[in-house]
C-alpha cells in the first residue's frame, strides 16, 4: 500500500475529480434514473473508518501516522457530506476496485485508483470500495480464476493461476456488509511471478435476502449439527453456535448430504484449529454414492487462527454429498459455518479485468553445509513478519509440496523473497539441532548460511536410517499437472531429512505412470549415502482389502498375468509367495488399521494387560487395511529365492499408526513363537504428509551401505524402530559369564543357553526432544521387555548424550527380550533359547492369535475372489492348525 | 432485522393460560409500579414441570427462567396486547430435556456470547442468531434487555462488565449516547456463578436516535487484556 505523501492535497483534488467522474459514470449507466447522492450517517461511518484502520494494522499494513492524524481531523468535522468526502479522499487511493452493489444481480464494478503493483512471491494489500445504496447486508466475495490452486490443476492452467487473493473478514471487521452506503473491505493479493500479469477479479454479494442463487446450501450450527454426521474417527457436536470437531485418529471424516447439479463448486467455511497440516474434501454423486479417491481435493490448514477456508472442486454428475476430512491427525477444529456455492458464474457475478505489474523480488541463495562442511540439503520453514509461509503453499508444485509448510533446498539454490523481515527455521531431520535465523531481505541479493549441527549420528556406528514406506504419488500428491512427483523430488526430501534410505512404493493412484521409475535396483537419482529405491505397496488393488503389503527389493514389480495392477490376487498370501520367490522383503503396512476396534475380549485374560496396554487381550475387528491377514500369513513358510522355505512375512510395520495396536500385534505373534521383525515407516504422504521419515528404522549394515544389505537387516531384525529422536543402538545380550554374546539381528538373534542363567542386555541409549517438540519429555523411560512385559526399567535424561544402559536378569525358560522406549523406539528382539525349548511367551497370546484368525476370516472372506476362496480357506486353515497345535502342545 | 422484546401481559394472562396459581418471587424495583406485581417464571410454569430434571438441570433452568423474567419485565412493560411469546418461551424452557435444547431455545434472545477461558480471558462476540446479525433495533430512551450467554471455563465468580465505546470519537471513548450495563438487581446478578454455562442480562439504553455503531467491551474484573479484539463486539444499532 502506498503511503500518503506530501502531495496529498493535490491528490485529494484529483481524486475528488475522479470520484465525481466515477459517480457520474456509475449513475450514467442507468439512463433516466439519476442516483441520489450518497448519504452515510456520520457516526457509524467514522466507527467503520476506525475499525478499518485497526484491521489494516492487523493485516500488516498500518496506515501512516499522517493518515491516522487525518482520521482524527475528520472526526472533528460536523458536516456529514464533508465527512464522507474526506473519508473517500483518504481511502479511495488504496482501492483496487469500486463495487456498486445493485439491489439484486451483479454489482457494477470499476477499477479503483490504486496502482496495480504487486510483488513476486509477496502480498500486497488493497481496499475495495463498496457503494451500497440499497443497504445490502450479504457477504462480498472477491475471487479470481487466476487464484485457483495449482495442485491438481490441468497443465494448461498452470501459467494462468499465478495469483492468490484473500479477503480479510476477521475482527474488527465483520464478514458481512454493514448496509452503510459506503464502506471499504480489505483484500490481499499474492503474485507467484514477476512481470506483467493479467487477472480477472470477480465480485458478487451473496447470503442476504437479495443474494445470488449460487449458494447451494448453508450449514449453521445454532441448533444442531445441521446434517453433518460423524463417519470415522471423529466426534461432531454443535455447541455455542459452532460445530466442534474432535478427531480421534489419523483418518477422521464427516459427511453431509447435499443435492445439486454437477459442475464447479466452492466449499467455504470459517474455522479455527491448532493443528498443522492439511484437510481433505471428498464428494459423492448420485450414480456413485460414496467417496472415492479420485474425487477429492486438499486444503491447507492455517493453525492457531480463525480462517476462511475456500475449497474449490469440480463434480462430474449430480452432486449427492460432501465429506470433510478436517484434519488428518488427532486434534480439534471449530467450524462456525459452512457454505456451498456453485462456481458457475451466473448473472450475479461481475468481472473486472486488471493488469498487474509484479515487481521481481530478491533472490536469496541458500548456503547449506553438513557437519563435515560438505554441501548438503536441508529443511527450511520461511515465514515473514506476519507469519505467512513462503513460497505460498497453494502455489507450490514439486519439488515443494503444497501440503507442507517447509521446503527443502540444497547448497546454492535460490528462493525469491520480497523485501522484508523473515524468520527461517532450519533443520535436517531429527538427528540435527534445529536453529532459527532472522533474515532481512532488501533489494540486493542475499545469502542464508546454514551449517548443520548434529546431536547424534547413528550411521557412524553402522546404523543407517530408512523409511520403508513413502510415495511419489501418495494421497496428498496430485494427479495433475503431473502424475505424482519425480524421483528427483523424492531424493530432495530424503536428503533434506537426512534419511539414508527411502523406499518409494508405487501403489494404486498413478500406478501406470510411477511404475516407470522401478529399476529393480536403487534409483539412478540416488546420491550416496542417500539411496532411493522404487518398489510396490499392494494398496488400492489386489489383496489390499485384507491388508496392504509392502514388497521391498523386488526384481519384478508386476504380478504375472498382466502389466498393471488390476489382475493381482485378492489373497495376500498369494502375493507374498510371488514376492518371496524373487527374494523380496515383505510385511504389512500401517499395521494398526483394522486393529483398533474390538469385538470383545479374550476370555480369562482380565488383569493380564501390561503397562500401556501392551500386551492387551482385546480381540480386534480386523476390519481395516493394516496387519490383518498378517495373523494368517505370518504362520506360513513359502519358497524363497533359492527354493528353500522362508517365512512369508519378514516384518511388521510400526511407528506410523496406533502404537499400542501395532506393537500389541507384534508382541502376540512373538509370544506365539513366530520370529518376525519390526520395521519403521511413515507411509508418506498418506498417514502423514508432514515429512518423510517420521516413522523410521535404523538398520545395521557392515561396511559400506547398500540397499541389499540394509533391507536384509530389516528382514533379519538387525535394527531398531524409532521416531528419530530416541535411539537404541548396539542392542546385545550376553550370558552373565561373558562367554556368549549375541548382537541383535546377527545369527538369527538367538542366544542359546543349555540351562537357566543370568543374562545381561545392553544398549546405547540417547534421546533428545527438547529442541524439537514443544511437549517434549524430560526423561525417557527405557524398559527391558520379556515376552511382552517390562521386567526392568531405567529413566534416561533426554539430553542427547549417548548412555550405556544395562539390564541383568535371570532367565529360566526360553523367551524373547527387547528394549523399549515407549512410544518412541523399540529394538528388535533377541531370542533366548534355553535347553532347546521353543519360545512360547504366553499361551494367552496364542489363544489371541487363534481368535484373530477366526475374526479375520469373518471380516475378509467377502473380499476374496471366488476363484481364490479355496486357496484362502486353506491358508486360514493352516493358520488355525498352527496356533491350535501350539495350544495342544502346551496342554500336553 | 428487528429485535425487540416487548413485555407482554404475561404475568397476568399466562397465569390464566397455564393455570399457575401462585407467585413466590418478590417484586423487583422495576416491577413495583407495574400492574402485574410478581415476575417469577419458575412459579408460573409450575414446579412439576421441572421436577423430573436432575438437580443441576433444575438449578440451571430456574436460573434461566429467572433471567427470562428479567427480560420480560424490562422490555416495554406497558404493552398488554400479546401474552404469548414469553409465556411460550418460559414453558418451553421448563420442558427442555438437554442443555443443548435449552441453548437452542434461547439463541434468538442472546445479544452476545461471552466466553471466559481457563486463564479468565474474556472473549465476546455477537450472537449467532439471525435477528442479531445485521443490526439491533432499539427505541430511544427505552431500556432494552437481552441475554448474555456465558461460557465460563475459568469458573470465575467475579462481576461481568460490559462497557460501550464510541469509535467515532477521537480518541474512542465511552459512548455518551448509549449505556450498557449487566443487570444487577433482585433475582439476577451481574456476578457470575462459576457454572460452566449460565445466562446473564444486559440492558441497553439509547439516548439518541439514528443508525449508530457501538463497540461493546467485556471484562471479568481483570480489565480487558484484549488481544486481537477478542473482548470486543462491534454492533450496528438502529435507534428509533
Amino acid at each position: 500500500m502506498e503511503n500518503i505523501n506530501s502531495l496529498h492535497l493535490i491528490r485529494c483534488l484529483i481524486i475528488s475529480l475522479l470520484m465525481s467522474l466515477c459517480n457520474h459514470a456509475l449513475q450514467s449507466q442507468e439512463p433516466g434514473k439519476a442516483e441520489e447522492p450518497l448519504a452515510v450517517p456520520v457516526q457509524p461511518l467514522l466507527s467503520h473508518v476506525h475499525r478499518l484502520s485497526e484491521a489494516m494494522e492487523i493485516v500488516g499494513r498500518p496506515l501512516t501516522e499522517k493518515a491516522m492524524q487525518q482520521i482524527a481531523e475528520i472526526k472533528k468535522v460536523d458536516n456529514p457530506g464533508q465527512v464522507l468526502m474526506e473519508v473517500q479522499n483518504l481511502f479511495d487511493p488504496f482501492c483496487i476496485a469500486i463495487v456498486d452493489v445493485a439491489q439484486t444481480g451483479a454489482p457494477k464494478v470499476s477499477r479503483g485508483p490504486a496502482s496495480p503493483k504487486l510483488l513476486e512471491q509477496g502480498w500486497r494489500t488493497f481496499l475495495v470500495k463498496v457503494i451500497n445504496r440499497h443497504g445490502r447486508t450479504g457477504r462480498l466475495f472477491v475471487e479470481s480464476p487466476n487464484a485457483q490452486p495449482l495442485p491438481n490443476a490441468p497443465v494448461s492452467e498452470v501459467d494462468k493461476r499465478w495469483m492468490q487473493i484473500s479477503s480479510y473478514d476477521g475482527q474488527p471487521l465483520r464478514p458481512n456488509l454493514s448496509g452503510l452506503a459506503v464502506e471499504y473491505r480489505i483484500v490481499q493479493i499474492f503474485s507467484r511471478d514477476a512481470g506483467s500479469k493479467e487477472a480477472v477479479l470477480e465480485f458478487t454479494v451473496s447470503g442476504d435476502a437479495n443474494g445470488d442463487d449460487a449458494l447451494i446450501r448453508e450449514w449453521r450450527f445454532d441448533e444442531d449439527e445441521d446434517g453433518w454426521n460423524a463417519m470415522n474417527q471423529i466426534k461432531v457436536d454443535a455447541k455455542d453456535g459452532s460445530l466442534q470437531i474432535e478427531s480421534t485418529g489419523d483418518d477422521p471424516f464427516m459427511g453431509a448430504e447435499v443435492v445439486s447439479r454437477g459442475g464447479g463448486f466452492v466449499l467455504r467455511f470459517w474455522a479455527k484449529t491448532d493443528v498443522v497440516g492439511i484437510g481433505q474434501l471428498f464428494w459423492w454423486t448420485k450414480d456413485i454414492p460414496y467417496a472415492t479417491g479420485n474425487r477429492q481435493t486438499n486444503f491447507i490448514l492455517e493453525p492457531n487462527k480463525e480462517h476462511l477456508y475456500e475449497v474449490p472442486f469440480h463434480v462430474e454428475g449430480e452432486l449427492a454429498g460432501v465429506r470433510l476430512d478436517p484434519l488428518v491427525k488427532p486434534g480439534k477444529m471449530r467450524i462456525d459455518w459452512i457454505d456451498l456455492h456453485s462456481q458457475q458464474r451466473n448473472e450475479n457475478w461481475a468481472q473486472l479485468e486488471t493488469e498487474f505489474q509484479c515487481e521481481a523480488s530478491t533472490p536469496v541463495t541458500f548456503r547449506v553445509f553438513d557437519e563435515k562442511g560438505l554441501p548438503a540439503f536441508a529443511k527450511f520453514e520461511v515465514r515473514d513478519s506476519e507469519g505467512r509461509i513462503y513460497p505460498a503453499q497453494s502455489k507450490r508444485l514439486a519439488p515443494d509440496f503444497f501440503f507442507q509448510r517447509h521446503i527443502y533446498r540444497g547448497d546454492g539454490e535460490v528462493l525469491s523473497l520480497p523485501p522484508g523481515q523473515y524468520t527461517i527455521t532450519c533443520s535436517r531431520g531429527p538427528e540435527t539441532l534445529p536453529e532459527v535465523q532472522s533474515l532481512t531481505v532488501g533489494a540486493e541479493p542475499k545469502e542464508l548460511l546454514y551449517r548443520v549441527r548434529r546431536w547424534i549420528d547413528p550411521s557412524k556406528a553402522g546404523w543407517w536410517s530408512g523409511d520403508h514406506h513413502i510415495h511419489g504419488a501418495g494421497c496428498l500428491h496430485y494427479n495433475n499437472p503431473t502424475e505424482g512427483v519425480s524421483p528427483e523430488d523424492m531424493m530432495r526430501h530424503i536428503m533434506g531429512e537426512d534419511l539414508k534410505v527411502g523406499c518409494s512404493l508405487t501403489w494404486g493412484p498413478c500406478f501406470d505412470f510411477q511404475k516407470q521409475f522401478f529399476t529393480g535396483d536403487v534409483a539412478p537419482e540416488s546420491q550416496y549415502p542417500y539411496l532411493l529405491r522404487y518398489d510396490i505397496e499392494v494398496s488400492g488393488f489386489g489383496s489390499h482389502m485384507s491388508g496392504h503389503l509392502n514388497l521391498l527389493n523386488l526384481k519384478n514389480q508386476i504380478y504375472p498375468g498382466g502389466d498393471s495392477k488390476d489382475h493381482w490376487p485378492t489373497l495376500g498370501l498369494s502375493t507374498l509367495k510371488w514376492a518371496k520367490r524373487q527374494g523380496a522383503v515383505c510385511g504389512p503396512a500401517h499395521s494398526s488399521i483394522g486393529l483398533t476396534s474390538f469385538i470383545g475380549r479374550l476370555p480369562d485374560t482380565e488383569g493380564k494387560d501390561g503397562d500401556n496396554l501392551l500386551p492387551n487381550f482385546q480381540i480386534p475387528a480386523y476390519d481395516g487395511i493394516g496387519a490383518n491377514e498378517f495373523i494368517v500369513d505370518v504362520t506360513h513358510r513359502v519358497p524363497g529365492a533359492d527354493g528353500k522355505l522362508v517365512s512369508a512375512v519378514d516384518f511388521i510395520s510400526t511407528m506410523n499408526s496406533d502404537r499400542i495396536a501395532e506393537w500389541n500385534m507384534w508382541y502376540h505373534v512373538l509370544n506365539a513363537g513366530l520370529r518376525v521383525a519390526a520395521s519403521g515407516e511413515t507411509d508418506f504422504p498418506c498417514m502423514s504428509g508432514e515429512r518423510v521419515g517420521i516413522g523410521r528404522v535404523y538398520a545395521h549394515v557392515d561396511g559400506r551401505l547398500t540397499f541389499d544389505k540394509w533391507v536384509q537387516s530389516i528382514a533379519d531384525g538387525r535394527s531398531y524402530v524409532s521416531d528419530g529422536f530416541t535411539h537404541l543402538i548396539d542392542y546385545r545380550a550376553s550370558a552373565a559369564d561373558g562367554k556368549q554374546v549375541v548382537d541383535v539381528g546377527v545369527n538369527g538373534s538367538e542366544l542359546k543357553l543349555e540351562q537357566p542363567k543370568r543374562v545381561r542386555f545392553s544398549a546405547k541409549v540417547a534421546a533428545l526432544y527438547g529442541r524439537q517438540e514443544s511437549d517434549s519429555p524430560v526423561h525417557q523411560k527405557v524398559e527391558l521387555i520379556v515376552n511382552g512385559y517390562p521386567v526392568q526399567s531405567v529413566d534416561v535424561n533426554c539430553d542427547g548424550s549417548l548412555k550405556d544402559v544395562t539390564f541383568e536378569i535371570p532367565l529360566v525358560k526360553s523367551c524373547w527380550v527387547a528394549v523399549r522406549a515407549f512410544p518412541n523406539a523399540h529394538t528388535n528382539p533377541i531370542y533366548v533359547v534355553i535347553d532347546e525349548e521353543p519360545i512360547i511367551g504366553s499361551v494367552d497370546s496364542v489363544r489371541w492369535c487363534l481368535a484373530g484368525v477366526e475374526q479375520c476370516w469373518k471380516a475378509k472372506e467377502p473380499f476374496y475372489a471366488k476363484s481364490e476362496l479355496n486357496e484362502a480357506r486353506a491358508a486360514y486353515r493352516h493358520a488355525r492348525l498352527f496356533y491350535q497345535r501350539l495350544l495342544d502342545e502346551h496342554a500336553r | 432485522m428487528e429485535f425487540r422484546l416487548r413485555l407482554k401481559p404475561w404475568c397476568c394472562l399466562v397465569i390464566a393460560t397455564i393455570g399457575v396459581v401462585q407467585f413466590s418471587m418478590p417484586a423487583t424495583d422495576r416491577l413495583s409500579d407495574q400492574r402485574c406485581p410478581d415476575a417469577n417464571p419458575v412459579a408460573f410454569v409450575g414446579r412439576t414441570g421441572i421436577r423430573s430434571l436432575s438437580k443441576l438441570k433444575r438449578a440451571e433452568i430456574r436460573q434461566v427462567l429467572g433471567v427470562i423474567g428479567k427480560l420480560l419485565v424490562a422490555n416495554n412493560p406497558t404493552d398488554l396486547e400479546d401474552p404469548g411469546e414469553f409465556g411460550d418461551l418460559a414453558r418451553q424452557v421448563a420442558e427442555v430435556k438437554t442443555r443443548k435444547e435449552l441453548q437452542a431455545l434461547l439463541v434468538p434472545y442472546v445479544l452476545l456470547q461471552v466466553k471466559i477461558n481457563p486463564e479468565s480471558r474474556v472473549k465476546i462476540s455477537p450472537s449467532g442468531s439471525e435477528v442479531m446479525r445485521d443490526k439491533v433495533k432499539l427505541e430511544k430512551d427505552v431500556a432494552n434487555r437481552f441475554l448474555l450467554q456465558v461460557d465460563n471455563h475459568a469458573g470465575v465468580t467475579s462481576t461481568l462488565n460490559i462497557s460501550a465505546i464510541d469509535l467515532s470519537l477521537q480518541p474512542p471513548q465511552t459512548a455518551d449516547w448509549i449505556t450498557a450495563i449487566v443487570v444487577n438487581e433482585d433475582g439476577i446478578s451481574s456476578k457470575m456463578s462459576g457454572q460452566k454455562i449460565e445466562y446473564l442480562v444486559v440492558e441497553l439504553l439509547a439516548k439518541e436516535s439514528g443508525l449508530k455503531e457501538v463497540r461493546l467491551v467485556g471484562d471479568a474484573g481483570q480489565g480487558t487484556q484484549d488481544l486481537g479484539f477478542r473482548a470486543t463486539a462491534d454492533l450496528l444499532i438502529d435507534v428509533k
Side-chain angles (χ1 to χ4, degrees), chain A residues 814-832:
Chain A
S814 298
C815 57
W816 62 269
V817 185
V819 174
R820 177 174 82 187
F822 183 85
N824 304 316
H826 211 305
T827 69
N828 269 297
I830 288 176
Y831 305 100
V832 181

Side-chain angles (χ1 to χ4, degrees), chain B residues 97-143:
Chain B
K97 295 288 187 286
T98 65
R99 182 175 286 155
K100 195 169 162 182
E101 285 177 31
L102 177 66
Q103 290 178 358
L105 267 179
L106 298 178
V107 162
Y109 306 95
V110 176
L111 180 72
L112 298 173
Q113 290 181 320
V114 181
K115 293 184 181 175
I116 301 174
N117 78 2
E119 289 83 38
S120 299
R121 294 279 173 91
V122 177
K123 177 185 175 185
I124 69 172
S125 53
S127 155
S129 84
E130 202 168 320
V131 291
M132 299 291 185
R133 196 174 67 179
D134 295 339
K135 63 188 71 157
V136 179
K137 292 198 172 183
L138 303 179
E139 280 193 38
K140 184 185 169 191
D141 294 330
V142 173

Side-chain angles (χ1 to χ4, degrees), chain A residues 43 51 54 75 171 240, chain B residues 151 166-167 213 215 232:
Chain A
Q43 197 274 350
R51 285 190 290 111
E54 291 174 331
K75 286 183 175 182
Q171 280 273 60
D240 301 335
Chain B
D151 197 349
D166 187 343
L167 298 180
E213 181 175 308
R215 169 167 290 177
T232 67

Side-chain angles (χ1 to χ4, degrees), chain A residues 234-367:
Chain A
I234 198 168
K235 294 176 186 170
V236 179
D237 188 26
K239 188 180 175 189
D240 301 335
S242 302
L243 200 61
Q244 308 286 341
I245 296 165
E246 182 175 359
S247 158
T248 57
D250 296 319
D251 189 22
F253 52 88
M254 60 183 192
E257 294 182 349
V258 58
V259 176
S260 176
R261 63 191 165 88
F265 295 89
V266 59
L267 189 82
R268 294 188 176 88
F269 58 99
W270 184 264
K272 183 178 181 186
T273 182
D274 55 3
V275 172
V276 175
I278 65 139
Q280 291 178 292
L281 174 72
F282 291 75
W283 56 93
W284 62 87
T285 51
K286 195 173 177 183
D287 54 332
I288 308 174
Y290 48 86
T292 55
N294 60 344
R295 299 187 297 180
Q296 61 99 2
T297 187
N298 306 309
F299 54 90
I300 298 153
L301 297 177
E302 299 288 342
N304 303 316
K305 65 176 184 180
E306 299 193 339
H307 184 72
L308 174 63
Y309 292 88
E310 299 183 281
V311 189
F313 62 106
H314 189 89
V315 176
E316 301 288 344
E318 188 177 344
L319 179 68
V322 289
R323 191 187 105 180
L324 197 56
D325 300 24
L327 315 165
V328 290
K329 60 176 75 169
K332 293 181 179 178
M333 175 181 273
R334 188 201 77 219
I335 299 180
D336 289 353
W337 51 263
I338 304 175
D339 287 350
L340 179 64
H341 290 259
S342 169
Q343 267 201 316
Q344 292 173 4
R345 297 295 186 240
N346 59 20
E347 67 279 6
N348 294 326
W349 284 83
Q351 293 191 329
L352 179 67
E353 292 184 8
T354 303
E355 184 169 342
F356 289 93
Q357 297 301 322
C358 309
E359 296 172 30
S361 53
T362 306
V364 175
T365 302
F366 287 78
R367 302 308 313 271

Side-chain angles (χ1 to χ4, degrees), chain A residues 811-876:
Chain A
L811 292 176
V812 297
K813 57 173 275 195
S814 298
C815 57
W816 62 269
V817 185
V819 174
R820 177 174 82 187
F822 183 85
N824 304 316
H826 211 305
T827 69
N828 269 297
I830 288 176
Y831 305 100
V832 181
V833 177
I834 301 176
D835 194 23
E836 298 186 348
E837 284 295 315
I839 297 171
I840 296 297
S842 161
V843 174
D844 291 324
S845 286
V846 181
R847 294 169 57 222
W848 185 90
C849 292
L850 183 57
V853 174
E854 299 304 335
Q855 175 56 28
C856 191
W857 176 252
K858 286 180 189 169
K860 304 301 180 191
E861 183 190 6
F863 301 109
Y864 294 124
K866 282 185 180 174
S867 60
E868 298 177 58
L869 268 178
N870 284 339
E871 202 176 351
R873 286 193 188 96
Y876 279 73

Side-chain angles (χ1 to χ4, degrees), chain A residues 412-423:
Chain A
E413 294 189 330
V414 174
L415 177 68
S416 291
L417 291 174
Q421 284 289 129
Y422 294 88
T423 301

Side-chain angles (χ1 to χ4, degrees), chain A residues 758-821:
Chain A
R758 293 186 70 82
V759 180
R760 186 175 300 131
F761 298 89
S762 63
K764 294 183 173 67
V765 179
L768 185 65
Y769 287 88
R771 303 185 195 186
Q772 281 91 355
E773 308 290 341
S774 58
D775 55 349
S776 55
V778 177
H779 298 98
Q780 173 68 63
K781 188 176 185 181
V782 178
E783 301 166 296
L784 187 71
I785 306 296
V786 177
N787 291 342
Y789 293 89
V791 295
Q792 287 186 11
S793 70
V794 61
D795 280 345
V796 171
N797 285 335
C798 296
D799 58 8
S801 64
L802 206 56
K803 300 170 183 67
D804 288 317
V805 171
T806 302
F807 303 100
E808 187 174 315
I809 55 170
L811 292 176
V812 297
K813 57 173 275 195
S814 298
C815 57
W816 62 269
V817 185
V819 174
R820 177 174 82 187

Side-chain angles (χ1 to χ4, degrees), chain B:
Chain B
M1 195 73 69
E2 182 169 5
F3 173 71
R4 188 170 61 239
L5 297 175
R6 291 177 175 274
L7 176 67
K8 314 301 184 291
W10 60 274
C11 50
C12 298
L13 299 179
V14 172
I15 293 169
T17 306
I18 61 177
V20 173
V21 294
Q22 179 183 344
F23 291 115
S24 58
M25 184 178 280
T28 65
D29 292 341
R30 183 174 290 279
L31 277 170
S32 59
D33 61 349
Q34 305 297 315
R35 281 181 243 179
C36 190
D38 209 336
N40 184 356
V42 176
F44 90 73
V45 298
R47 300 202 181 273
T48 56
I50 57 174
R51 200 169 286 161
S52 60
L53 297 169
S54 70
K55 188 177 178 182
L56 173 66
K57 285 178 181 169
R58 282 202 300 273
E60 196 171 317
I61 286 178
R62 281 203 180 90
Q63 194 264 341
V64 170
L65 289 171
V67 166
I68 291 172
K70 295 299 174 186
L71 287 185
L72 311 189
V73 297
N75 292 323
N76 198 358
T78 58
D79 185 348
L80 301 178
E81 297 299 317
D82 179 7
E85 182 179 359
F86 289 99
D88 287 347
L89 174 63
R91 191 163 43 215
Q92 288 174 46
V93 165
E95 291 172 355
V96 295
K97 295 288 187 286
T98 65
R99 182 175 286 155
K100 195 169 162 182
E101 285 177 31
L102 177 66
Q103 290 178 358
L105 267 179
L106 298 178
V107 162
Y109 306 95
V110 176
L111 180 72
L112 298 173
Q113 290 181 320
V114 181
K115 293 184 181 175
I116 301 174
N117 78 2
E119 289 83 38
S120 299
R121 294 279 173 91
V122 177
K123 177 185 175 185
I124 69 172
S125 53
S127 155
S129 84
E130 202 168 320
V131 291
M132 299 291 185
R133 196 174 67 179
D134 295 339
K135 63 188 71 157
V136 179
K137 292 198 172 183
L138 303 179
E139 280 193 38
K140 184 185 169 191
D141 294 330
V142 173
N144 291 262
R145 292 186 171 192
F146 306 86
L147 294 181
L148 298 171
Q149 182 187 314
V150 182
D151 197 349
N152 186 353
H153 289 277
V156 294
T157 56
S158 54
T159 299
L160 180 67
N161 300 306
I162 300 286
S163 51
I165 305 296
D166 187 343
L167 298 180
S168 72
L169 301 176
Q170 183 61 29
Q173 52 202 270
T174 303
D176 57 4
W177 59 272
I178 190 170
T179 58
I181 57 165
V182 181
V183 175
N184 184 29
E185 58 189 32
D186 282 350
I188 183 73
S189 174
S190 59
K191 288 187 77 166
M192 292 171 283
S193 67
Q195 293 289 331
K196 190 175 176 190
I197 290 185
E198 67 179 312
Y199 290 87
L200 302 182
V201 176
V202 63
E203 181 176 285
L204 301 181
L205 179 61
K207 300 165 193 164
E208 294 175 11
S209 59
L211 185 63
K212 290 174 177 292
E213 181 175 308
V214 66
R215 169 167 290 177
L216 298 181
V217 182
D219 78 85
Q222 299 180 8
T224 63
Q225 300 176 311
D226 196 10
L227 298 170
F229 305 95
R230 288 186 304 190
T232 67
D234 299 299
L235 301 178
L236 263 181
I237 309 280
D238 192 4
V239 187
K240 298 295 183 192

